[in-house]
Amino acid sequence: KNPSEIQTCSPTMADQYQYNTNEEKFVKDSHTKEIDLINRDPKQINDDVVKVEFEDVIAEPDGTHSLDGVWKLSYTTFTVSKYWCYRILSAVFGIPVALLWGFLFACISFCHIWAVVPCIKSCLIESQCVSRIYSLCIQTFCDPFFEALGKIFSSVRVALRKEV
């Protein structure tokens, strides 16, 4: 073999370092991922709850109609006031509430990871221990007893007769 073939078979430490640093550039952080500004409810978690339109709240049955101008102005007032009220409330309270929800879900995650799952795992381990002891007792005391009863009654024959 010539020396160039040997070098291509075993990469040098510098080559490995370069490979690792290039690889790290492709790792994406979940905090910096791009969000969709068009579809803000991709999992449709609010479709049946807060998707309220004018027609869902206010309706005039046949025979009871207001003036057309009042109806149009009511529609516009409802739609615009709902739009701007939501915008103002989300501008004022959106970031503080997001901070609170982030804190709450972080606490829930912390409790689940550091308390709930280990507790459940501990209970499962303890119940397996109790289960083995229980199984051993059943196999030691009950199985021979019921096998003996089975042998005693295995020779019993039952005949069913229908008398008229």
Side-chain angles (χ1 to χ4, degrees), residues 89-134:
L89 286 172
S90 63
V92 173
F93 298 110
I95 293 172
V97 171
L99 179 69
L100 290 174
W101 282 118
F103 181 75
L104 175 70
F105 281 106
C107 291
I108 290 170
S109 298
F110 177 83
C111 289
H112 191 78
I113 291 167
W114 291 99
V116 174
V117 172
C119 184
I120 290 171
K121 189 68 170 180
S122 172
C123 290
L124 286 174
I125 291 170
E126 292 300 321
S127 68
Q128 287 176 352
C129 179
V130 171
S131 170
R132 287 181 181 165
I133 293 171
Y134 177 77

Side-chain angles (χ1 to χ4, degrees), residues 126-146:
E126 292 300 321
S127 68
Q128 287 176 352
C129 179
V130 171
S131 170
R132 287 181 181 165
I133 293 171
Y134 177 77
S135 177
L136 183 64
C137 291
I138 294 295
Q139 290 172 357
T140 304
F141 301 112
C142 295
D143 284 356
F145 175 73
F146 287 117

Side-chain angles (χ1 to χ4, degrees), residues 146-159:
F146 287 117
E147 284 180 24
L149 282 179
K151 287 181 181 177
I152 290 171
F153 293 111
S154 66
S155 60
V156 174
R157 303 282 181 237
V158 177

Side-chain angles (χ1 to χ4, degrees), residues 6-113:
I6 294 172
Q7 190 174 10
T8 55
C9 291
S10 59
T12 64
M13 191 67 118
D15 291 337
Q16 289 177 352
Y17 178 75
Q18 183 64 32
Y19 175 75
N20 289 339
T21 55
N22 288 339
E23 189 178 88
E24 289 174 5
K25 291 178 184 174
F26 296 109
V27 176
K28 281 199 167 189
D29 185 15
S30 63
H31 305 294
T32 59
K33 69 178 183 178
E34 289 190 32
I35 60 171
D36 187 359
L37 293 176
I38 305 300
N39 184 12
R40 296 185 184 191
D41 190 8
K43 296 182 181 178
Q44 286 85 29
I45 62 172
N46 287 316
D47 272 357
D48 56 340
V49 181
V50 294
K51 199 173 187 180
V52 178
E53 300 297 329
F54 179 77
E55 297 84 14
D56 299 327
V57 179
I58 300 172
E60 293 181 333
D62 288 338
T64 310
H65 286 188
S66 61
L67 298 171
D68 290 345
V70 171
W71 186 251
K72 288 179 185 179
L73 189 58
S74 297
Y75 173 82
T76 304
T77 304
F78 177 89
T79 306
V80 170
S81 64
K82 184 183 98 167
Y83 175 81
W84 281 107
C85 183
Y86 178 79
R87 285 252 164 138
I88 292 168
L89 286 172
S90 63
V92 173
F93 298 110
I95 293 172
V97 171
L99 179 69
L100 290 174
W101 282 118
F103 181 75
L104 175 70
F105 281 106
C107 291
I108 290 170
S109 298
F110 177 83
C111 289
H112 191 78
I113 291 167

